[in-house]
Amino acid sequence: MDLASTVPSSSSSSSVSSIDTSHDCDSPRGGDADHELLHASVSVSVSSSSSSASIQRILGLIRSEDPDSRLFAAREIRRLTKTSHRCRRHFSQAVEPLVSMLRLLDSPESHHEAALLALLNLAVKYEKNKVSIVEAGALEPIMNFLQSNSPTLQEYASASLLTLSASANNKPIIGANGVIPLLVKVIKHGSPQAKADAVMALSNLSTLSTNLTMILATKPLSPVLNLLKSSKKSSKTSEKCCSLIESLMVSNEEARTGLVSDEGGVLAVVEVLENGSLQAKEHAVGVLLTLCQSDRSKYREPILKEGVIPGLLELTVQGTSKSRTKAQRLLCLLRDSDSPRSEVQPDTIENIVSSLISHIDGDDQSGKAKKMLAEMVQVSMEKSLRHLQERASTLVRP
């Protein structure tokens, strides 16, 4: 391991950069950013030939009784684990002393920040450390920071919970410790970054049924919708808002009614359907499909009123396999049930949409839908022609 030598100096702050993740949402700001300048009284040199000794020295400093030594070590761990999976493994032993730093409530805010960020970097994309951090008792102080008057500590605490909640092992523990109401409170009153991380953490936690029940009890729909309305529809935040709303819709009529009665609520979901990422569109159409399936006569008109047809048409052509299927089902449900059906007009997307267009309010929406329908027919014809050509090319001539 090649770890660069450091020349300590006075401390300075740095931002938290983005690290992409897999299925569950890990911290979008979890990997730390720039190298921090460090305390002038301490110097640690780490090279490939002495990496083991240097790591042991940093581990010794993090266990020290001297607050300045602990602060320096926390910042070094934070820096060295920024992008190195190997360093996250080597510094796993630092988890307990770092958690101990969090529990020292009379410590300066800078010490808590350093420990939180070091733990955050240790946990990113490293399941064992995620579990170890929770087992070491980090949730209690993190929950305290989540309620802190310091926006910085609140943001770092939200980011930490986002990362820790990506672990299946941690989800029931986090939910059982009373974190969920605090996350909802952050979505209501926190800074923009804290809100974004909190809703992603809730989305992670909602995949566990016991957690979903607790989330529903906090009545989070209104603040989540407010966050969705104010967020860029192509953002990860909007994706996770729709994911969470979809989970809330499945078994809760109050949430379904709340979405429709919230001014601009259905529209915000439709906008994600049109402008979101592929995954966000999948969740958005899932929200609307769940809504319509629960009570077609009650929810069909509120969905149609927001001009959903063009977005659904686009999904049937360009969405993921799941979103294409959901969009087709929703189009069938949205069709006027009283429309005459002919044996010569099968239940194709083109015929379904044709029967819907006449019921769309507004020339703009109707014109857009007709244009997209024409494009769909063209694409369908081209696909059919290619298929025929492929079949013809495989025929064996006599």
Side-chain angles (χ1 to χ4, degrees):
M1 175 170 47
D2 187 12
L3 306 179
S5 300
T6 64
V7 181
S9 181
S10 58
S11 65
S12 66
S13 62
S14 64
S15 61
V16 184
S17 66
S18 173
I19 283 190
D20 192 18
T21 56
S22 54
H23 177 66
D24 264 332
C25 190
D26 213 320
S27 177
R29 19 185 272 143
D32 196 6
D34 305 328
H35 171 206
E36 285 221 344
L37 299 176
L38 305 165
H39 194 276
S41 64
V42 189
S43 178
V44 177
S45 296
V46 186
S47 65
S48 56
S49 61
S50 61
S51 60
S52 179
S54 300
I55 289 168
Q56 291 306 312
R57 185 177 181 193
I58 294 173
L59 289 172
L61 291 172
I62 198 65
R63 298 186 185 105
S64 169
E65 295 297 322
D66 176 51
D68 288 338
S69 295
R70 289 198 301 269
L71 178 62
F72 168 77
R75 286 173 169 166
E76 272 296 85
I77 293 168
R78 171 191 177 187
R79 180 181 70 86
L80 296 171
T81 54
K82 173 189 172 183
T83 57
S84 172
H85 189 79
R86 182 182 297 180
C87 283
R88 290 172 196 147
R89 183 175 71 252
H90 285 310
F91 285 113
S92 293
Q93 297 173 56
V95 166
E96 289 194 11
L98 284 168
V99 171
S100 296
M101 285 180 69
L102 297 183
R103 302 178 77 92
L104 296 173
L105 298 181
D106 58 345
S107 293
E109 184 174 316
S110 60
H111 290 232
H112 290 149
E113 289 178 10
L116 271 173
L117 290 172
L119 288 168
L120 189 56
N121 280 8
L122 280 167
V124 169
K125 296 186 178 180
Y126 200 98
E127 176 71 12
K128 182 179 178 181
N129 284 348
K130 286 183 176 73
V131 174
S132 297
I133 289 167
V134 170
E135 289 178 344
L139 285 181
E140 182 183 352
I142 289 175
M143 288 170 65
N144 289 333
F145 299 140
L146 205 61
Q147 303 170 81
S148 171
N149 291 325
S150 165
T152 301
L153 282 177
Q154 188 182 81
E155 287 185 8
Y156 292 166
S158 298
S160 298
L161 287 169
L162 166 54
T163 301
L164 297 174
S165 65
S167 165
N169 289 317
N170 287 343
K171 290 181 184 185
I173 302 171
I174 293 173
N177 274 271
V179 172
I180 287 171
L182 298 179
L183 288 171
V184 174
K185 188 175 180 180
V186 170
I187 295 173
K188 290 179 180 177
H189 306 297
S191 69
Q193 184 61 62
K195 287 180 179 182
D197 289 347
V199 80
M200 292 184 201
L202 272 185
S203 178
N204 284 350
L205 294 172
S206 70
T207 61
L208 192 66
S209 59
T210 53
N211 285 341
L212 182 58
T213 300
M214 287 186 276
I215 293 171
L216 285 165
T218 65
K219 302 186 184 303
L221 182 64
S222 181
V224 172
L225 280 174
N226 288 336
L227 179 59
L228 177 61
K229 292 172 193 174
S230 64
S231 299
K232 187 176 180 181
K233 299 305 180 283
S234 59
S235 67
K236 193 75 173 179
T237 301
S238 290
E239 177 188 321
K240 291 300 175 179
C241 282
C242 283
S243 171
L244 182 55
I245 293 169
E246 184 179 15
S247 298
L248 299 176
M249 295 289 108
V250 172
S251 60
N252 190 267
E253 177 59 22
E254 184 179 352
R256 294 192 287 266
T257 302
L259 174 61
V260 174
S261 61
D262 186 290
E263 186 176 356
V266 174
L267 177 60
V269 176
V270 171
E271 288 174 342
V272 174
L273 186 91
E274 294 176 337
N275 302 310
S277 65
L278 285 176
Q279 195 62 45
K281 290 180 179 182
E282 188 175 303
H283 290 305
V285 72
V287 170
L288 300 174
L289 178 61
T290 300
L291 196 63
C292 205
Q293 283 177 327
S294 69
D295 191 335
R296 179 183 177 278
S297 61
K298 182 177 180 181
Y299 296 121
R300 174 179 174 272
E301 288 302 325
I303 294 173
L304 279 174
K305 184 179 71 174
E306 300 301 348
V308 71
I309 301 303
L312 289 177
L313 286 175
E314 185 176 353
L315 272 189
T316 62
V317 177
Q318 298 179 351
T320 64
S321 58
K322 285 185 179 180
S323 60
R324 288 198 301 269
T325 300
K326 290 178 181 179
Q328 290 171 13
R329 288 177 182 170
L330 183 54
L331 283 167
C332 288
L333 288 171
L334 293 176
R335 182 178 54 182
D336 187 354
S337 59
D338 297 327
S339 297
R341 296 177 61 184
S342 168
E343 291 182 1
V344 298
Q345 286 193 320
D347 230 6
T348 64
I349 291 298
E350 290 83 356
N351 290 333
I352 291 169
V353 176
S354 293
S355 68
L356 274 167
I357 287 174
S358 60
H359 299 279
I360 298 175
D361 293 329
D363 293 338
D364 290 344
Q365 290 294 336
S366 179
K368 187 175 181 181
K370 288 178 180 178
K371 181 180 178 182
M372 294 190 70
L373 178 57
E375 291 173 352
M376 283 180 60
V377 172
Q378 180 67 27
V379 170
S380 178
M381 291 176 61
E382 289 174 355
K383 285 184 177 179
S384 297
L385 181 60
R386 283 198 300 270
H387 180 64
L388 288 172
Q389 290 173 337
E390 290 170 359
R391 289 191 60 187
S393 67
T394 61
L395 293 176
V396 180
R397 295 182 180 276

